[in-house]
Amino acid sequence: MLREYPELVKAVFLHVVSDEPNPPIPAPKLINGRPLLFFRTYVGAATMATELGLMDGDALLRVVQSAEGKLKEEPRTSDKWMDLEKDIAKAVRTLNISIV
């Protein structure tokens, strides 16, 4: 996509899915001047999109709230929560706010 249609694609986000806890996340790279980014949670993807100016802060907060709601039945000790909490911390730094 980025090689063939850089004028149509602002960025590519790839979801890192693994059965292993804490899988390695490839580093971002540029292809034809467009970012190729890897993420574990939708909050992580939304944070990167916000940093690139593709989303605003309010949209990022809605993604955080939705992701937390989706995991409400999941034990807080699960790998899913650990991944989400890491990405929420990044979102907070990106927005420079406090989320309660």
Side-chain angles (χ1 to χ4, degrees):
M1 299 283 308
L2 294 173
R3 284 193 178 96
E4 297 293 323
Y5 306 104
E7 69 282 359
L8 299 176
V9 179
K10 293 186 186 270
V12 171
F13 296 81
L14 296 176
H15 196 172
V16 176
V17 179
S18 175
D19 290 335
E20 300 174 27
N22 300 315
I25 309 294
K29 61 169 74 175
L30 289 177
I31 298 174
N32 273 350
R34 301 287 193 234
L36 173 63
L37 305 152
F38 300 87
F39 67 94
R40 282 289 289 159
T41 72
Y42 292 117
V43 171
T47 299
M48 290 184 275
T50 301
E51 291 169 347
L52 290 170
L54 302 175
M55 287 178 62
D56 66 23
D58 289 338
L60 175 54
L61 287 173
R62 288 192 300 274
V63 173
V64 169
Q65 291 167 343
S66 176
E68 288 177 323
K70 297 285 184 191
L71 291 185
K72 66 183 172 191
E73 302 297 322
E74 191 76 27
R76 294 290 280 202
T77 56
S78 74
D79 291 340
K80 292 177 184 180
W81 270 109
M82 290 193 304
D83 287 337
L84 182 60
E85 288 169 349
K86 285 180 197 172
D87 285 345
I88 288 173
K90 291 177 192 170
V92 168
R93 287 191 302 272
T94 295
L95 295 172
N96 197 25
I97 61 166
S98 176
I99 297 178
V100 178

